[in-house]
Amino acid sequence: MAGLAAAESIVVPDKKLEGAGINVFVDEVNKIDTKEKYVTTSGGKKFNYDKLILATGSSSFIPPFEGKDLKGVVSLRGLEDAKNIRSFIAENSPKKLIFIGAGFITMEIASLISAQNPGAFDISVIEFLNRPLPLMLDKDMADPVQEYLEEKGIKILTGKKVEKILGSDGKVTGVELASGEKLDADMVFVNVGVRPNIKLAEDAGLEITRLGIKVNEYQETSDPDILATGDCVEKINFITKKPEGGRLRGPAVVQGRLAAKRLAGYDIKFPGVLNAGGCQMFDLVISATGFSEEMAAKEGFETVCSIVDSRSKHGMIPGMKPWKIKLIFDKKSQKIIGGQIVSHAIPPAREIDAITAFIMGGKTIPELTMFTSACNPDISSEPSMEPIAVAAEQALRKLK
Amino acid sequence: MKKGEKLVIVGCSGAGGPAAMMAKNLMPEVDVTIIRKEEFFIVR
């Protein structure tokens, strides 16, 4: 979307696959015959299989807003969408841009367009909930993000619901909120989630849930010769063991490789998802894993939380940037169940991977007070300010 | 899977591509085929 990389460089290259001895066909599979064990394509080809892996992904979901088909209403999922957005901006020179939903893709695109064209656009983001990035951050961590983005000129309207998209002569002219308020727009970006691509599996008679294709811990479907992986399948949450969507690339890659391992005879189970993810807006990097405080409460956890301000380098080192971490613990078990990072430098945001490892390892508040990081003046805060241990110490005091 | 058996993978983005590469890596004697509908498909 930024125009910084050629399309060919950001997809799995066919040469890499073919070089490994894999046959690659560009065609659409339109039917699975589970009895005779073959698939057919819209191009008229037939492929027999002994085992089949479905990795059919997901598609952007645009709510059935009135006006969603107007020219100038755009979304982003794949390369063609990115090209469409760039060409629409180049050809129509829109000034007022409205983004519906403050999820990470929307916020990244809004900030990217703003950063590449300083002062050229009047950008507003409309979010139904009370903060940006509501699936990643609690309000106490989202507030500084909102302030930062507003300083950069992006208006964020929270607690507002879009009722319909307005247009004239087939072109978008604005949006109308549930309150009746109308906002002008020359381009409206809608990206409020994805839905699993399950039609092929459904037509083949595989077990489906409202969250996707049903699979076990080995990625096996209800058909013994068909596995399914990635965005098209129902996931299990690592903490609650309850079904959920969890459509992110990280679990998709791991599940894809797991399906292959299963077929090769390995007995490794998928542990469930934590929905770890990250995004960048201008120079601000945000990452999160596990449950937010709000999500944990919805799941019935009583939590103990702590927030610590830290720095990317020792205080005396030039170029030091501030960052902030929030840890969420289950009060009963004292286990860590979530983490959030808002950082003005990229490296600290990767500490979220340590939080993910701690959650998967069932680490508790007392155990995390003993955490020591690989400290160095140029790459971390001072050992005395190691934020994960300090946050655990805060939580320890709150338990008394 | 055994030597000469056919593995077909539908889709080649976040899950399908890694599944194919891992399958060929672990089972070089299995015939692995990917069928994808997109000329290019970008995942985030």
PDB file of all heavy atoms in Angstrom, chain A residues 137-174:
ATOM      1  N   LEU A 137      -5.941  -2.637  22.558  1.00  0.00           N
ATOM      2  CA  LEU A 137      -5.580  -1.811  23.713  1.00  0.00           C
ATOM      3  C   LEU A 137      -6.773  -1.494  24.598  1.00  0.00           C
ATOM      4  O   LEU A 137      -7.878  -1.275  24.113  1.00  0.00           O
ATOM      5  CB  LEU A 137      -4.977  -0.481  23.227  1.00  0.00           C
ATOM      6  CG  LEU A 137      -3.732  -0.556  22.348  1.00  0.00           C
ATOM      7  CD1 LEU A 137      -3.323   0.852  21.918  1.00  0.00           C
ATOM      8  CD2 LEU A 137      -2.586  -1.249  23.072  1.00  0.00           C
ATOM      9  N   ASP A 138      -6.507  -1.446  25.911  1.00  0.00           N
ATOM     10  CA  ASP A 138      -7.489  -0.875  26.828  1.00  0.00           C
ATOM     11  C   ASP A 138      -7.444   0.638  26.696  1.00  0.00           C
ATOM     12  O   ASP A 138      -6.495   1.212  26.139  1.00  0.00           O
ATOM     13  CB  ASP A 138      -7.152  -1.287  28.271  1.00  0.00           C
ATOM     14  CG  ASP A 138      -7.438  -2.757  28.524  1.00  0.00           C
ATOM     15  OD1 ASP A 138      -8.569  -3.191  28.229  1.00  0.00           O
ATOM     16  OD2 ASP A 138      -6.539  -3.463  29.018  1.00  0.00           O
ATOM     17  N   LYS A 139      -8.447   1.291  27.276  1.00  0.00           N
ATOM     18  CA  LYS A 139      -8.539   2.747  27.096  1.00  0.00           C
ATOM     19  C   LYS A 139      -7.324   3.471  27.675  1.00  0.00           C
ATOM     20  O   LYS A 139      -6.842   4.442  27.090  1.00  0.00           O
ATOM     21  CB  LYS A 139      -9.831   3.270  27.728  1.00  0.00           C
ATOM     22  CG  LYS A 139     -10.110   4.718  27.327  1.00  0.00           C
ATOM     23  CD  LYS A 139     -11.526   5.129  27.531  1.00  0.00           C
ATOM     24  CE  LYS A 139     -11.844   6.481  26.921  1.00  0.00           C
ATOM     25  NZ  LYS A 139     -10.825   7.493  26.960  1.00  0.00           N
ATOM     26  N   ASP A 140      -6.792   2.962  28.807  1.00  0.00           N
ATOM     27  CA  ASP A 140      -5.652   3.673  29.405  1.00  0.00           C
ATOM     28  C   ASP A 140      -4.406   3.607  28.529  1.00  0.00           C
ATOM     29  O   ASP A 140      -3.523   4.465  28.632  1.00  0.00           O
ATOM     30  CB  ASP A 140      -5.358   3.169  30.831  1.00  0.00           C
ATOM     31  CG  ASP A 140      -5.345   1.650  30.941  1.00  0.00           C
ATOM     32  OD1 ASP A 140      -5.296   0.975  29.892  1.00  0.00           O
ATOM     33  OD2 ASP A 140      -5.408   1.141  32.072  1.00  0.00           O
ATOM     34  N   MET A 141      -4.301   2.599  27.664  1.00  0.00           N
ATOM     35  CA  MET A 141      -3.170   2.528  26.730  1.00  0.00           C
ATOM     36  C   MET A 141      -3.523   3.180  25.390  1.00  0.00           C
ATOM     37  O   MET A 141      -2.634   3.660  24.672  1.00  0.00           O
ATOM     38  CB  MET A 141      -2.777   1.071  26.498  1.00  0.00           C
ATOM     39  CG  MET A 141      -2.188   0.388  27.712  1.00  0.00           C
ATOM     40  SD  MET A 141      -0.583   1.046  28.215  1.00  0.00           S
ATOM     41  CE  MET A 141       0.532   0.194  27.099  1.00  0.00           C
ATOM     42  N   ALA A 142      -4.803   3.199  25.039  1.00  0.00           N
ATOM     43  CA  ALA A 142      -5.229   3.788  23.758  1.00  0.00           C
ATOM     44  C   ALA A 142      -5.265   5.315  23.818  1.00  0.00           C
ATOM     45  O   ALA A 142      -5.084   5.977  22.791  1.00  0.00           O
ATOM     46  CB  ALA A 142      -6.606   3.243  23.363  1.00  0.00           C
ATOM     47  N   ASP A 143      -5.484   5.868  24.994  1.00  0.00           N
ATOM     48  CA  ASP A 143      -5.577   7.328  25.098  1.00  0.00           C
ATOM     49  C   ASP A 143      -4.322   8.039  24.590  1.00  0.00           C
ATOM     50  O   ASP A 143      -4.427   8.990  23.799  1.00  0.00           O
ATOM     51  CB  ASP A 143      -5.891   7.744  26.534  1.00  0.00           C
ATOM     52  CG  ASP A 143      -7.372   7.584  26.868  1.00  0.00           C
ATOM     53  OD1 ASP A 143      -8.177   7.364  25.937  1.00  0.00           O
ATOM     54  OD2 ASP A 143      -7.726   7.668  28.060  1.00  0.00           O
ATOM     55  N   PRO A 144      -3.110   7.610  25.009  1.00  0.00           N
ATOM     56  CA  PRO A 144      -1.922   8.288  24.457  1.00  0.00           C
ATOM     57  C   PRO A 144      -1.755   8.095  22.951  1.00  0.00           C
ATOM     58  O   PRO A 144      -1.189   8.954  22.269  1.00  0.00           O
ATOM     59  CB  PRO A 144      -0.749   7.682  25.238  1.00  0.00           C
ATOM     60  CG  PRO A 144      -1.275   6.471  25.914  1.00  0.00           C
ATOM     61  CD  PRO A 144      -2.743   6.663  26.091  1.00  0.00           C
ATOM     62  N   VAL A 145      -2.253   6.971  22.441  1.00  0.00           N
ATOM     63  CA  VAL A 145      -2.200   6.738  20.987  1.00  0.00           C
ATOM     64  C   VAL A 145      -3.108   7.748  20.282  1.00  0.00           C
ATOM     65  O   VAL A 145      -2.731   8.365  19.281  1.00  0.00           O
ATOM     66  CB  VAL A 145      -2.639   5.296  20.646  1.00  0.00           C
ATOM     67  CG1 VAL A 145      -2.705   5.091  19.138  1.00  0.00           C
ATOM     68  CG2 VAL A 145      -1.691   4.290  21.282  1.00  0.00           C
ATOM     69  N   GLN A 146      -4.299   7.923  20.839  1.00  0.00           N
ATOM     70  CA  GLN A 146      -5.245   8.870  20.240  1.00  0.00           C
ATOM     71  C   GLN A 146      -4.676  10.294  20.263  1.00  0.00           C
ATOM     72  O   GLN A 146      -4.749  11.014  19.272  1.00  0.00           O
ATOM     73  CB  GLN A 146      -6.585   8.804  20.987  1.00  0.00           C
ATOM     74  CG  GLN A 146      -7.641   9.722  20.381  1.00  0.00           C
ATOM     75  CD  GLN A 146      -9.051   9.389  20.837  1.00  0.00           C
ATOM     76  OE1 GLN A 146      -9.301   8.328  21.402  1.00  0.00           O
ATOM     77  NE2 GLN A 146      -9.973  10.291  20.590  1.00  0.00           N
ATOM     78  N   GLU A 147      -4.080  10.660  21.394  1.00  0.00           N
ATOM     79  CA  GLU A 147      -3.489  12.009  21.498  1.00  0.00           C
ATOM     80  C   GLU A 147      -2.392  12.198  20.456  1.00  0.00           C
ATOM     81  O   GLU A 147      -2.304  13.241  19.808  1.00  0.00           O
ATOM     82  CB  GLU A 147      -2.878  12.210  22.896  1.00  0.00           C
ATOM     83  CG  GLU A 147      -3.906  12.475  23.979  1.00  0.00           C
ATOM     84  CD  GLU A 147      -3.279  12.428  25.373  1.00  0.00           C
ATOM     85  OE1 GLU A 147      -2.062  12.686  25.491  1.00  0.00           O
ATOM     86  OE2 GLU A 147      -4.019  12.117  26.326  1.00  0.00           O
ATOM     87  N   TYR A 148      -1.562  11.181  20.302  1.00  0.00           N
ATOM     88  CA  TYR A 148      -0.452  11.249  19.344  1.00  0.00           C
ATOM     89  C   TYR A 148      -0.983  11.417  17.915  1.00  0.00           C
ATOM     90  O   TYR A 148      -0.488  12.269  17.158  1.00  0.00           O
ATOM     91  CB  TYR A 148       0.380   9.969  19.458  1.00  0.00           C
ATOM     92  CG  TYR A 148       1.450   9.798  18.404  1.00  0.00           C
ATOM     93  CD1 TYR A 148       2.706  10.381  18.534  1.00  0.00           C
ATOM     94  CD2 TYR A 148       1.204   9.032  17.259  1.00  0.00           C
ATOM     95  CE1 TYR A 148       3.689  10.216  17.571  1.00  0.00           C
ATOM     96  CE2 TYR A 148       2.182   8.860  16.289  1.00  0.00           C
ATOM     97  CZ  TYR A 148       3.422   9.444  16.447  1.00  0.00           C
ATOM     98  OH  TYR A 148       4.380   9.285  15.480  1.00  0.00           O
ATOM     99  N   LEU A 149      -1.990  10.625  17.565  1.00  0.00           N
ATOM    100  CA  LEU A 149      -2.524  10.694  16.202  1.00  0.00           C
ATOM    101  C   LEU A 149      -3.228  12.026  15.954  1.00  0.00           C
ATOM    102  O   LEU A 149      -3.159  12.579  14.850  1.00  0.00           O
ATOM    103  CB  LEU A 149      -3.471   9.520  15.943  1.00  0.00           C
ATOM    104  CG  LEU A 149      -2.778   8.156  15.895  1.00  0.00           C
ATOM    105  CD1 LEU A 149      -3.810   7.038  15.818  1.00  0.00           C
ATOM    106  CD2 LEU A 149      -1.827   8.070  14.712  1.00  0.00           C
ATOM    107  N   GLU A 150      -3.899  12.537  16.968  1.00  0.00           N
ATOM    108  CA  GLU A 150      -4.571  13.837  16.797  1.00  0.00           C
ATOM    109  C   GLU A 150      -3.543  14.953  16.640  1.00  0.00           C
ATOM    110  O   GLU A 150      -3.762  15.895  15.876  1.00  0.00           O
ATOM    111  CB  GLU A 150      -5.535  14.076  17.964  1.00  0.00           C
ATOM    112  CG  GLU A 150      -6.773  13.176  17.815  1.00  0.00           C
ATOM    113  CD  GLU A 150      -7.757  13.243  18.966  1.00  0.00           C
ATOM    114  OE1 GLU A 150      -7.394  13.749  20.037  1.00  0.00           O
ATOM    115  OE2 GLU A 150      -8.891  12.744  18.790  1.00  0.00           O
ATOM    116  N   GLU A 151      -2.404  14.815  17.328  1.00  0.00           N
ATOM    117  CA  GLU A 151      -1.310  15.789  17.117  1.00  0.00           C
ATOM    118  C   GLU A 151      -0.799  15.729  15.682  1.00  0.00           C
ATOM    119  O   GLU A 151      -0.334  16.714  15.131  1.00  0.00           O
ATOM    120  CB  GLU A 151      -0.145  15.488  18.068  1.00  0.00           C
ATOM    121  CG  GLU A 151      -0.370  15.981  19.486  1.00  0.00           C
ATOM    122  CD  GLU A 151       0.730  15.477  20.431  1.00  0.00           C
ATOM    123  OE1 GLU A 151       1.764  14.995  19.940  1.00  0.00           O
ATOM    124  OE2 GLU A 151       0.501  15.564  21.653  1.00  0.00           O
ATOM    125  N   LYS A 152      -0.897  14.538  15.083  1.00  0.00           N
ATOM    126  CA  LYS A 152      -0.456  14.361  13.686  1.00  0.00           C
ATOM    127  C   LYS A 152      -1.535  14.802  12.694  1.00  0.00           C
ATOM    128  O   LYS A 152      -1.349  14.700  11.477  1.00  0.00           O
ATOM    129  CB  LYS A 152      -0.121  12.887  13.420  1.00  0.00           C
ATOM    130  CG  LYS A 152       1.098  12.386  14.175  1.00  0.00           C
ATOM    131  CD  LYS A 152       2.378  12.914  13.552  1.00  0.00           C
ATOM    132  CE  LYS A 152       3.604  12.305  14.188  1.00  0.00           C
ATOM    133  NZ  LYS A 152       4.858  12.880  13.626  1.00  0.00           N
ATOM    134  N   GLY A 153      -2.683  15.228  13.216  1.00  0.00           N
ATOM    135  CA  GLY A 153      -3.723  15.764  12.337  1.00  0.00           C
ATOM    136  C   GLY A 153      -4.831  14.795  11.980  1.00  0.00           C
ATOM    137  O   GLY A 153      -5.678  15.113  11.135  1.00  0.00           O
ATOM    138  N   ILE A 154      -4.838  13.605  12.580  1.00  0.00           N
ATOM    139  CA  ILE A 154      -5.914  12.642  12.299  1.00  0.00           C
ATOM    140  C   ILE A 154      -6.991  12.787  13.375  1.00  0.00           C
ATOM    141  O   ILE A 154      -6.706  12.623  14.559  1.00  0.00           O
ATOM    142  CB  ILE A 154      -5.369  11.203  12.268  1.00  0.00           C
ATOM    143  CG1 ILE A 154      -4.409  11.056  11.083  1.00  0.00           C
ATOM    144  CG2 ILE A 154      -6.505  10.187  12.175  1.00  0.00           C
ATOM    145  CD1 ILE A 154      -3.763   9.693  10.968  1.00  0.00           C
ATOM    146  N   LYS A 155      -8.205  13.085  12.925  1.00  0.00           N
ATOM    147  CA  LYS A 155      -9.314  13.222  13.887  1.00  0.00           C
ATOM    148  C   LYS A 155      -9.869  11.827  14.195  1.00  0.00           C
ATOM    149  O   LYS A 155     -10.134  11.054  13.261  1.00  0.00           O
ATOM    150  CB  LYS A 155     -10.432  14.098  13.304  1.00  0.00           C
ATOM    151  CG  LYS A 155     -10.039  15.569  13.196  1.00  0.00           C
ATOM    152  CD  LYS A 155     -11.211  16.387  12.743  1.00  0.00           C
ATOM    153  CE  LYS A 155     -11.165  16.720  11.358  1.00  0.00           C
ATOM    154  NZ  LYS A 155     -11.007  17.419  10.378  1.00  0.00           N
ATOM    155  N   ILE A 156     -10.058  11.525  15.451  1.00  0.00           N
ATOM    156  CA  ILE A 156     -10.603  10.221  15.830  1.00  0.00           C
ATOM    157  C   ILE A 156     -11.896  10.447  16.592  1.00  0.00           C
ATOM    158  O   ILE A 156     -11.902  11.015  17.682  1.00  0.00           O
ATOM    159  CB  ILE A 156      -9.595   9.428  16.674  1.00  0.00           C
ATOM    160  CG1 ILE A 156      -8.304   9.227  15.858  1.00  0.00           C
ATOM    161  CG2 ILE A 156     -10.167   8.078  17.077  1.00  0.00           C
ATOM    162  CD1 ILE A 156      -7.192   8.567  16.594  1.00  0.00           C
ATOM    163  N   LEU A 157     -12.991  10.032  15.976  1.00  0.00           N
ATOM    164  CA  LEU A 157     -14.305  10.229  16.580  1.00  0.00           C
ATOM    165  C   LEU A 157     -14.751   8.904  17.179  1.00  0.00           C
ATOM    166  O   LEU A 157     -15.069   7.955  16.454  1.00  0.00           O
ATOM    167  CB  LEU A 157     -15.304  10.691  15.506  1.00  0.00           C
ATOM    168  CG  LEU A 157     -14.835  11.864  14.628  1.00  0.00           C
ATOM    169  CD1 LEU A 157     -15.817  12.125  13.509  1.00  0.00           C
ATOM    170  CD2 LEU A 157     -14.645  13.115  15.474  1.00  0.00           C
ATOM    171  N   THR A 158     -14.714   8.803  18.497  1.00  0.00           N
ATOM    172  CA  THR A 158     -15.070   7.548  19.152  1.00  0.00           C
ATOM    173  C   THR A 158     -16.513   7.579  19.646  1.00  0.00           C
ATOM    174  O   THR A 158     -17.115   8.645  19.804  1.00  0.00           O
ATOM    175  CB  THR A 158     -14.129   7.268  20.332  1.00  0.00           C
ATOM    176  OG1 THR A 158     -14.196   8.376  21.237  1.00  0.00           O
ATOM    177  CG2 THR A 158     -12.705   7.081  19.866  1.00  0.00           C
ATOM    178  N   GLY A 159     -17.061   6.386  19.883  1.00  0.00           N
ATOM    179  CA  GLY A 159     -18.435   6.293  20.362  1.00  0.00           C
ATOM    180  C   GLY A 159     -19.458   6.726  19.330  1.00  0.00           C
ATOM    181  O   GLY A 159     -20.558   7.147  19.669  1.00  0.00           O
ATOM    182  N   LYS A 160     -19.100   6.616  18.055  1.00  0.00           N
ATOM    183  CA  LYS A 160     -20.000   7.037  16.965  1.00  0.00           C
ATOM    184  C   LYS A 160     -20.284   5.846  16.051  1.00  0.00           C
ATOM    185  O   LYS A 160     -19.370   5.094  15.705  1.00  0.00           O
ATOM    186  CB  LYS A 160     -19.348   8.135  16.109  1.00  0.00           C
ATOM    187  CG  LYS A 160     -18.780   9.301  16.897  1.00  0.00           C
ATOM    188  CD  LYS A 160     -19.799  10.375  17.091  1.00  0.00           C
ATOM    189  CE  LYS A 160     -19.163  11.610  17.723  1.00  0.00           C
ATOM    190  NZ  LYS A 160     -20.165  12.596  18.163  1.00  0.00           N
ATOM    191  N   LYS A 161     -21.540   5.733  15.657  1.00  0.00           N
ATOM    192  CA  LYS A 161     -21.916   4.642  14.759  1.00  0.00           C
ATOM    193  C   LYS A 161     -22.302   5.202  13.389  1.00  0.00           C
ATOM    194  O   LYS A 161     -23.125   6.133  13.309  1.00  0.00           O
ATOM    195  CB  LYS A 161     -23.099   3.881  15.355  1.00  0.00           C
ATOM    196  CG  LYS A 161     -23.504   2.675  14.547  1.00  0.00           C
ATOM    197  CD  LYS A 161     -24.738   2.003  15.123  1.00  0.00           C
ATOM    198  CE  LYS A 161     -25.161   0.840  14.246  1.00  0.00           C
ATOM    199  NZ  LYS A 161     -26.482   0.330  14.600  1.00  0.00           N
ATOM    200  N   VAL A 162     -21.724   4.626  12.348  1.00  0.00           N
ATOM    201  CA  VAL A 162     -22.087   5.032  10.981  1.00  0.00           C
ATOM    202  C   VAL A 162     -23.391   4.343  10.607  1.00  0.00           C
ATOM    203  O   VAL A 162     -23.514   3.119  10.710  1.00  0.00           O
ATOM    204  CB  VAL A 162     -20.971   4.666   9.987  1.00  0.00           C
ATOM    205  CG1 VAL A 162     -21.424   4.931   8.551  1.00  0.00           C
ATOM    206  CG2 VAL A 162     -19.709   5.450  10.294  1.00  0.00           C
ATOM    207  N   GLU A 163     -24.353   5.120  10.185  1.00  0.00           N
ATOM    208  CA  GLU A 163     -25.661   4.576   9.806  1.00  0.00           C
ATOM    209  C   GLU A 163     -25.693   4.259   8.316  1.00  0.00           C
ATOM    210  O   GLU A 163     -26.166   3.210   7.908  1.00  0.00           O
ATOM    211  CB  GLU A 163     -26.748   5.604  10.143  1.00  0.00           C
ATOM    212  CG  GLU A 163     -28.154   5.052  10.126  1.00  0.00           C
ATOM    213  CD  GLU A 163     -28.385   4.021  11.233  1.00  0.00           C
ATOM    214  OE1 GLU A 163     -27.815   4.188  12.328  1.00  0.00           O
ATOM    215  OE2 GLU A 163     -29.122   3.052  10.983  1.00  0.00           O
ATOM    216  N   LYS A 164     -25.202   5.187   7.501  1.00  0.00           N
ATOM    217  CA  LYS A 164     -25.163   4.929   6.050  1.00  0.00           C
ATOM    218  C   LYS A 164     -24.116   5.795   5.374  1.00  0.00           C
ATOM    219  O   LYS A 164     -23.661   6.795   5.940  1.00  0.00           O
ATOM    220  CB  LYS A 164     -26.527   5.135   5.414  1.00  0.00           C
ATOM    221  CG  LYS A 164     -27.116   6.520   5.561  1.00  0.00           C
ATOM    222  CD  LYS A 164     -28.520   6.520   4.931  1.00  0.00           C
ATOM    223  CE  LYS A 164     -29.274   7.789   5.288  1.00  0.00           C
ATOM    224  NZ  LYS A 164     -30.630   7.793   4.786  1.00  0.00           N
ATOM    225  N   ILE A 165     -23.758   5.367   4.182  1.00  0.00           N
ATOM    226  CA  ILE A 165     -22.805   6.131   3.376  1.00  0.00           C
ATOM    227  C   ILE A 165     -23.607   6.933   2.361  1.00  0.00           C
ATOM    228  O   ILE A 165     -24.493   6.397   1.695  1.00  0.00           O
ATOM    229  CB  ILE A 165     -21.799   5.184   2.681  1.00  0.00           C
ATOM    230  CG1 ILE A 165     -21.030   4.379   3.747  1.00  0.00           C
ATOM    231  CG2 ILE A 165     -20.828   5.971   1.811  1.00  0.00           C
ATOM    232  CD1 ILE A 165     -20.156   3.275   3.182  1.00  0.00           C
ATOM    233  N   LEU A 166     -23.308   8.216   2.264  1.00  0.00           N
ATOM    234  CA  LEU A 166     -24.082   9.111   1.405  1.00  0.00           C
ATOM    235  C   LEU A 166     -23.395   9.291   0.058  1.00  0.00           C
ATOM    236  O   LEU A 166     -22.158   9.212  -0.037  1.00  0.00           O
ATOM    237  CB  LEU A 166     -24.238  10.476   2.093  1.00  0.00           C
ATOM    238  CG  LEU A 166     -24.817  10.440   3.518  1.00  0.00           C
ATOM    239  CD1 LEU A 166     -24.729  11.825   4.160  1.00  0.00           C
ATOM    240  CD2 LEU A 166     -26.259   9.945   3.490  1.00  0.00           C
ATOM    241  N   GLY A 167     -24.193   9.538  -0.986  1.00  0.00           N
ATOM    242  CA  GLY A 167     -23.596   9.735  -2.296  1.00  0.00           C
ATOM    243  C   GLY A 167     -24.474  10.541  -3.221  1.00  0.00           C
ATOM    244  O   GLY A 167     -25.633  10.850  -2.913  1.00  0.00           O
ATOM    245  N   SER A 168     -23.880  10.907  -4.342  1.00  0.00           N
ATOM    246  CA  SER A 168     -24.593  11.649  -5.370  1.00  0.00           C
ATOM    247  C   SER A 168     -23.995  11.280  -6.719  1.00  0.00           C
ATOM    248  O   SER A 168     -22.753  11.185  -6.843  1.00  0.00           O
ATOM    249  CB  SER A 168     -24.433  13.165  -5.101  1.00  0.00           C
ATOM    250  OG  SER A 168     -25.000  13.900  -6.144  1.00  0.00           O
ATOM    251  N   ASP A 169     -24.827  11.022  -7.713  1.00  0.00           N
ATOM    252  CA  ASP A 169     -24.373  10.624  -9.053  1.00  0.00           C
ATOM    253  C   ASP A 169     -23.422   9.428  -8.998  1.00  0.00           C
ATOM    254  O   ASP A 169     -22.437   9.368  -9.744  1.00  0.00           O
ATOM    255  CB  ASP A 169     -23.678  11.803  -9.757  1.00  0.00           C
ATOM    256  CG  ASP A 169     -24.610  12.968  -9.988  1.00  0.00           C
ATOM    257  OD1 ASP A 169     -25.825  12.721 -10.190  1.00  0.00           O
ATOM    258  OD2 ASP A 169     -24.151  14.130  -9.941  1.00  0.00           O
ATOM    259  N   GLY A 170     -23.708   8.516  -8.089  1.00  0.00           N
ATOM    260  CA  GLY A 170     -22.901   7.293  -7.999  1.00  0.00           C
ATOM    261  C   GLY A 170     -21.593   7.459  -7.248  1.00  0.00           C
ATOM    262  O   GLY A 170     -20.820   6.503  -7.136  1.00  0.00           O
ATOM    263  N   LYS A 171     -21.307   8.662  -6.754  1.00  0.00           N
ATOM    264  CA  LYS A 171     -20.040   8.889  -6.042  1.00  0.00           C
ATOM    265  C   LYS A 171     -20.316   9.169  -4.571  1.00  0.00           C
ATOM    266  O   LYS A 171     -21.323   9.789  -4.228  1.00  0.00           O
ATOM    267  CB  LYS A 171     -19.293  10.098  -6.637  1.00  0.00           C
ATOM    268  CG  LYS A 171     -18.798   9.889  -8.042  1.00  0.00           C
ATOM    269  CD  LYS A 171     -18.064  11.138  -8.506  1.00  0.00           C
ATOM    270  CE  LYS A 171     -17.595  10.990  -9.945  1.00  0.00           C
ATOM    271  NZ  LYS A 171     -16.978  12.219 -10.446  1.00  0.00           N
ATOM    272  N   VAL A 172     -19.389   8.754  -3.741  1.00  0.00           N
ATOM    273  CA  VAL A 172     -19.544   8.989  -2.311  1.00  0.00           C
ATOM    274  C   VAL A 172     -19.403  10.483  -2.007  1.00  0.00           C
ATOM    275  O   VAL A 172     -18.581  11.185  -2.615  1.00  0.00           O
ATOM    276  CB  VAL A 172     -18.515   8.157  -1.512  1.00  0.00           C
ATOM    277  CG1 VAL A 172     -17.085   8.645  -1.729  1.00  0.00           C
ATOM    278  CG2 VAL A 172     -18.852   8.149  -0.038  1.00  0.00           C
ATOM    279  N   THR A 173     -20.256  10.946  -1.081  1.00  0.00           N
ATOM    280  CA  THR A 173     -20.174  12.368  -0.669  1.00  0.00           C
ATOM    281  C   THR A 173     -20.043  12.512   0.845  1.00  0.00           C
ATOM    282  O   THR A 173     -19.806  13.620   1.334  1.00  0.00           O
ATOM    283  CB  THR A 173     -21.427  13.150  -1.114  1.00  0.00           C
ATOM    284  OG1 THR A 173     -22.593  12.518  -0.541  1.00  0.00           O
ATOM    285  CG2 THR A 173     -21.553  13.186  -2.621  1.00  0.00           C
ATOM    286  N   GLY A 174     -20.216  11.412   1.583  1.00  0.00           N
ATOM    287  CA  GLY A 174     -20.082  11.532   3.037  1.00  0.00           C
ATOM    288  C   GLY A 174     -20.682  10.346   3.754  1.00  0.00           C
ATOM    289  O   GLY A 174     -21.012   9.330   3.138  1.00  0.00           O
TER     290      GLY A 174
END
